[in-house]
Amino acid sequence: MKGAILTGGYGTRLMPLSSNVAKSMLPVAGKPIIQYILDKFPLEGTPIISTNKRFEKSIRAFCKGKEIPIKMVVEGSEMEKQKLGSVGGIKYMVDKLKIKEPLLLFAGDN
């Protein structure tokens, strides 16, 4: 089974905190929310992070040098009006990576 963390939203309700950073990268008690998910990641293998073009650079920087390798999928949206939504983002990721086995999904901002 593969596991994926969805971080493709734009956090419009959290602006201005999320104007330039993905919600999943906002710090809670000194570390980004996404790190809490990775710390407890229940599956063996490479976690997948699905994000958008706007936050790709900051998510890649976060992933660089991690103990475990992380695979990224980047959908082409750069603004709220273009986003695929959760289901569209999942379909894009599944199609792009040709995932055939069960997939456990995590919301990157919870």
Side-chain angles (χ1 to χ4, degrees):
M1 179 182 298
K2 293 188 179 290
I5 304 168
L6 305 175
T7 66
Y10 286 91
T12 55
R13 292 181 300 240
L14 285 175
M15 288 191 179
L17 294 174
S18 59
S19 295
N20 297 310
V21 65
K23 289 185 297 182
S24 61
M25 295 298 295
L26 292 172
V28 172
K31 65 182 179 180
I33 295 167
I34 196 169
Q35 185 63 56
Y36 289 97
I37 298 168
L38 290 171
D39 289 347
K40 302 278 186 186
F41 201 76
L43 304 172
E44 291 190 21
T46 303
I48 303 163
I49 294 179
S50 174
T51 192
N52 56 51
K53 201 73 166 152
R54 181 172 167 191
F55 297 129
E56 175 184 10
K57 192 180 285 186
S58 63
I59 299 283
R60 278 199 194 281
F62 167 78
C63 293
K64 193 174 184 176
K66 291 288 181 211
E67 289 179 23
I68 57 171
I70 298 171
K71 186 177 288 192
M72 281 188 57
V73 174
V74 181
E75 61 184 64
S77 71
E78 293 185 23
M79 62 181 65
E80 176 77 20
K81 293 178 194 174
Q82 299 172 327
K83 74 179 184 177
L84 300 177
S86 295
V87 174
I90 293 165
K91 181 177 180 348
Y92 180 82
M93 174 180 49
V94 166
D95 291 348
K96 179 115 176 137
L97 298 178
K98 297 176 174 66
I99 297 171
K100 301 287 185 210
E101 67 251 47
L103 181 63
L104 181 60
L105 298 170
F106 299 88
D109 58 352
N110 292 339

